[in-house]
Amino acid sequence: MTEFLQQIINGLAWGAIYGLIALGYTMVYGVLRLINFAHGDIYMVGAMVGYYVARWIPQGTGLASFLSSLLAAMIVCGLLGALIERLAYKPLRHAPRINALITAIGVSLFLEYAGQLLFGADPKFFPNLIADKVFLQWHGIVINQIQVLIFSVTIVLMVLIHTIVQKTRLGKAMRAVSFSHTASQLVGINLNAVITFTFVLGSSLAGAAGILVSLSNPKIEPMMGIMPGLKAFVAAVLGGIGSIPGALVGGLLMGLSETFVVGYISSTYRDALAFLLLIVILLVRPSGLFGRSTAEKV
Amino acid sequence: MLKKIIETFFWVCVALSPSCSRNSSDILIGEYGSLTGGTATFGQSTHRGVTMATEEQNERGGLLGKKIKIITEDDQSKPEEAKTVVLKLLKQDRVIALLGEVASSRSLAAAPEAQKAKIPMLSPASTNPKVTEVGDYIFRSCFIDSFQGEAMAHFAKSLHLNRVAILKDIKNDYSVGLADYFERTFRALGGEITDIQSYSEGDIEFRAQLTALKGKNPEAIFIPGYYTEVGLIARQARELGLNVPLMGGDGWDSPKTLEIGGVSVNESYFSTHYAADDPDPKVKDFVDKYRKKHGSVPDAMAVLGYDAAALLFDAITRAGTTDPGKIRDALAATQNFSGVSGAISMDPSRNARKRLVILKIDNGNVHFYDAVKP
């Protein structure tokens, strides 16, 4: 029983990270209908930015140094997202959707190998910004400070994004753009500004996820974004791509099921499970758990 | 006319080719290694060791009255490139023996060429058993994984550990092999393997496996992985309250294990080829010499490169000729060659029988703990 509960905690903490990456996927898809494959690599850039910022800050300042590296990573990744959108995706906005998709894969490879050139291929050790102390210990079950932090930051960011999308004028514009580019332009929405903003928001979430992962699993390298990026994509599809609560729920489900497969069956099937899930969802419920099924306009 | 030009060109090429222009008073030995690429430190360290051994031998008057010339080629850490550069060394430079490689995958790519050309090849550090199975011209001057796994099992027993769990890298032949040898020997000695879990190279999350291991209450965990994952595994194990000793093989031998693992890898043991603080005077001597020349403490690869080159020179001296077949026979007959990392004897399958050292990590430092003789 202890082992089972511990696995649930492991799974939730790991799933929260998938959820955070999936949020960015879902937002960009919701507005642009584009699967931004470079998203996982922006997450890598976030971790790298955090690494260099944290080395500037004197050790042992705890929460302050964590918040400053989190902020720096979110800002840099937001800017990088805007830059990628402007240079790579904007020229293709009226091209067939497959062109943008292939470009996204190109951007992803570019970031990975530019990262190798810039940061070096060998793994780096992310400094301990937060002491990994035990937060709660109960009948042999251990909950860590960092796990609590990951979980709470994820919830806070999700609520924040949800509020922005549902309650602000900008959010209203985003929802309008996601319905129809042409119609939203006709009612006076600045299409470019809204799309850029979506990219900034989504990419800064990836940056935040990069920092959070590096805190609990402090080994970072330029290729670290590939697998989590793909898994988060599956999580976004599972929750219903385009749905913000869906991304979080999808991420948590992914994290839990992976943990159980590894803990009770074998680690060999972990990656297989993620993609099996993807196939099953696409067959049974393509719109995901929280997605609305929309009829294709003819 | 065209035919004439081609013919002339052909003869000019032949006349200029290195095999004709080389100085016949040198003994040519080929070295191939990963001077660049993913495991660049392996190749560079080995090369330093080989160079040091060559310089010393040449100062002592070389071999058979001739100077030794090492021709070094970079394989960029790629198996296919290893094969290409070895072909170049064999066909173009006509070397009489080959030194290389560290990684078993690259030794395996090049070994069939050396075997075909009947040129002896001596690998300083490939521990996978398959390497020397390629043919009777392929040797290695390091121990193999079966010896390492068995030695660690005996060692665990000697620490009075009876219940050990295994966490292995399922995608890595080295790790899977080492885990198997450990498991078999430990069971044969009457120990109990409580559980076997696995991960894949590149993983960063091990909590699920460690939680499962913890449920079986092991007294130690054997992790035959590479240094990139070991540090993280140690960290997450301690977080989950799994405070038992960790053990591993020579894949741990890197400063990164300590850098990533921090205090979590304290109270751990791993087996490797050599320890810089080994009380053996031969090791001390070498460390001093190396430090004077390169300003740093030699890693295991530098020592193994040095030993491999010295062993090859010794075999050529014993053969008394540069005939590759005779050198092969001399290598195969090696008994108790005194290397820095220990006395080396060749067994009938051309694998070195030599001692292994066990290091202990304690308070952020790696110490010599014990040596195991075959």
Side-chain angles (χ1 to χ4, degrees):
Chain A
M1 192 60 196
T2 310
E3 192 183 324
F4 180 75
L5 290 175
Q6 182 72 56
Q7 295 291 28
I8 289 187
I9 289 159
N10 295 342
L12 286 177
W14 187 234
I17 292 163
Y18 283 149
L20 205 51
I21 310 176
L23 268 181
Y25 259 119
T26 267
M27 283 188 52
V28 170
Y29 182 84
V31 171
L32 267 188
R33 296 283 178 270
L34 163 73
I35 295 165
N36 183 15
F37 276 113
H39 199 69
D41 303 295
I42 294 174
Y43 149 90
M44 175 273 291
V45 172
M48 289 293 175
V49 169
Y51 171 78
Y52 287 106
V53 169
R55 293 212 313 186
W56 272 36
I57 305 169
Q59 283 282 324
T61 33
L63 207 62
S65 62
F66 162 68
L67 287 176
S68 49
S69 60
L70 183 71
L71 210 64
M74 288 179 76
I75 291 171
V76 172
C77 288
L79 292 176
L80 181 67
L83 191 72
I84 291 172
E85 196 273 327
R86 187 53 52 89
L87 294 179
Y89 301 141
K90 196 180 168 197
L92 295 172
R93 198 163 295 156
H94 301 292
R97 213 182 285 168
I98 193 81
N99 295 19
L101 191 73
I102 293 166
T103 307
I105 295 171
V107 171
S108 161
L109 289 172
F110 174 79
L111 287 178
E112 282 156 22
Y113 290 95
Q116 268 200 355
L117 212 61
L118 216 62
F119 311 123
D122 59 322
K124 288 180 180 43
F125 169 63
F126 197 85
N128 280 337
L129 297 176
I130 304 263
D132 42 359
K133 269 193 267 177
V134 172
F135 179 79
L136 186 78
Q137 193 158 17
W138 182 73
H139 288 286
I141 302 163
V142 184
I143 303 182
N144 220 275
Q145 272 192 351
I146 292 172
Q147 288 175 319
V148 176
L149 188 77
I150 289 177
F151 210 78
S152 33
V153 170
T154 304
I155 300 284
V156 166
L157 286 176
M158 196 210 74
V159 171
L160 195 72
I161 298 295
H162 196 70
T163 318
I164 289 176
V165 172
Q166 295 299 332
K167 299 277 152 66
T168 63
R169 275 174 65 86
L170 200 55
K172 208 177 220 176
M174 279 166 72
R175 282 181 286 147
V177 169
S178 89
F179 272 111
S180 164
H181 286 193
T182 324
S184 53
Q185 264 177 316
L186 286 175
V187 296
I189 291 171
N190 184 343
L191 190 66
N192 283 330
V194 169
I195 289 175
T196 306
F197 178 72
T198 312
F199 263 90
V200 169
L201 215 54
S203 303
S204 60
L205 286 178
I211 297 288
L212 291 176
V213 172
S214 314
L215 279 180
S216 74
N217 312 70
K219 188 188 84 178
I220 59 173
E221 38 118 9
M223 300 291 167
M224 67 187 274
I226 301 175
M227 252 312 160
L230 285 175
K231 299 277 181 64
F233 168 65
V234 178
V237 174
L238 175 62
I241 197 153
S243 152
I244 287 169
L248 184 68
V249 172
L252 292 178
L253 280 177
M254 274 288 286
L256 279 173
S257 44
E258 277 197 0
T259 305
F260 280 116
V261 165
V262 173
Y264 291 103
I265 306 172
S266 163
S267 75
T268 327
Y269 298 114
R270 189 195 49 199
D271 293 350
L273 169 92
F275 301 108
L276 188 72
L277 262 175
L278 181 65
I279 294 169
V280 171
I281 306 155
L282 290 179
L283 284 176
V284 178
R285 198 181 153 86
S287 55
L289 295 175
F290 288 72
R292 279 171 307 227
S293 49
T294 46
E296 196 70 33
K297 274 171 279 190
V298 189
Chain B
M1 184 61 200
L2 187 68
K3 205 176 157 202
K4 191 103 186 157
I5 290 174
I6 291 172
E7 207 168 280
T8 320
F9 183 71
F10 174 74
W11 287 114
V12 167
C13 284
V14 169
L16 291 179
S17 75
S19 56
C20 292
S21 60
R22 76 166 189 242
N23 188 346
S24 62
S25 70
D26 286 343
I27 288 183
L28 293 182
I29 291 172
E31 181 206 356
Y32 67 105
S34 50
L35 299 177
T36 60
T39 52
T41 60
F42 285 176
Q44 289 163 1
S45 290
T46 310
H47 180 61
R48 282 190 193 149
V50 170
T51 311
M52 265 177 79
T54 311
E55 282 168 2
E56 282 170 21
Q57 188 70 34
N58 278 339
E59 275 164 27
R60 285 196 294 264
L63 280 176
L64 314 173
K66 294 178 179 176
K67 287 258 176 262
I68 307 161
K69 194 173 169 217
I70 301 277
I71 302 172
T72 308
E73 290 290 339
D74 175 20
D75 59 31
Q76 302 164 21
S77 305
K78 295 176 191 155
E80 63 276 13
E81 201 65 29
K83 186 177 166 174
T84 312
V85 298
V86 162
L87 276 174
K88 186 238 165 203
L89 288 170
L90 292 171
K91 305 267 155 139
Q92 213 167 312
D93 300 317
R94 309 267 176 87
V95 297
I96 58 154
L98 280 168
L99 285 169
E101 234 269 12
V102 171
S104 298
S105 54
R106 299 194 284 271
S107 291
L108 278 168
E113 301 306 327
Q115 178 66 28
K116 230 185 286 167
K118 299 220 179 299
I119 295 292
M121 171 180 133
L122 179 61
S123 162
S126 295
T127 52
N128 190 304
K130 282 184 204 141
V131 173
T132 48
E133 285 165 14
V134 169
D136 60 346
Y137 276 79
I138 314 300
F139 295 83
R140 82 179 96 216
S141 53
C142 58
F143 52 69
I144 56 176
D145 288 340
S146 58
F147 173 56
Q148 202 176 178
E150 286 159 16
M152 281 314 277
H154 282 280
F155 175 69
K157 259 313 209 188
S158 76
L159 291 177
H160 304 293
L161 299 168
N162 286 313
R163 299 164 48 79
V164 177
I166 295 177
L167 180 58
K168 64 182 174 189
D169 179 349
I170 197 82
K171 276 193 193 160
N172 186 331
D173 288 344
Y174 156 81
S175 183
V176 172
L178 206 50
D180 284 352
Y181 292 119
F182 179 87
E183 185 193 349
R184 226 179 290 158
T185 315
F186 194 68
R187 285 217 164 111
L189 291 171
E192 186 192 342
I193 301 288
T194 56
D195 196 6
I196 300 176
Q197 292 282 336
S198 60
Y199 62 91
S200 303
E201 211 167 341
D203 280 0
I204 55 170
E205 174 72 19
F206 309 94
R207 290 185 178 89
Q209 292 96 318
L210 291 165
T211 302
L213 289 183
K214 192 188 170 195
K216 306 271 171 49
N217 290 318
E219 291 167 354
I221 309 175
F222 183 61
I223 312 169
Y226 279 155
Y227 58 88
T228 43
E229 276 86 34
V230 166
L232 276 184
I233 293 175
R235 238 166 214 285
Q236 295 176 11
R238 303 311 187 218
E239 269 176 30
L240 290 166
L242 199 52
N243 295 313
V244 298
L246 309 176
M247 296 194 291
D250 59 336
W252 284 37
D253 200 351
S254 163
K256 289 267 173 192
T257 304
L258 280 172
E259 193 193 327
I260 299 180
V263 292
S264 306
V265 286
N266 279 346
E267 293 297 309
S268 302
Y269 305 87
F270 64 95
S271 56
T272 188
H273 306 270
Y274 122 104
D277 63 342
D278 193 327
D280 192 322
K282 255 198 119 121
V283 175
K284 271 200 182 131
D285 227 39
F286 179 78
V287 171
D288 287 345
K289 261 192 300 185
Y290 189 93
R291 197 184 272 145
K292 216 172 280 167
K293 202 165 154 64
H294 298 291
S296 63
V297 175
D299 58 9
M301 293 310 153
V303 176
L304 293 178
Y306 180 88
D307 277 356
L311 171 62
L312 181 63
F313 302 155
D314 178 65
I316 295 173
T317 313
R318 278 185 284 126
T321 162
T322 55
D323 175 54
K326 296 272 165 49
I327 296 171
R328 190 218 85 86
D329 296 343
L331 267 177
T334 303
Q335 284 302 325
N336 281 322
F337 168 78
S338 148
V340 173
S341 57
I344 299 172
S345 302
M346 281 295 164
D347 70 7
S349 3
R350 298 168 305 284
N351 299 316
R353 287 164 52 82
K354 64 190 280 199
R355 69 174 202 153
L356 136 171
V357 295
I358 291 171
L359 305 187
K360 183 179 186 185
I361 304 177
D362 221 350
N363 295 326
N365 278 308
V366 183
H367 300 293
F368 173 81
Y369 188 79
D370 199 4
V372 180
K373 294 220 166 73

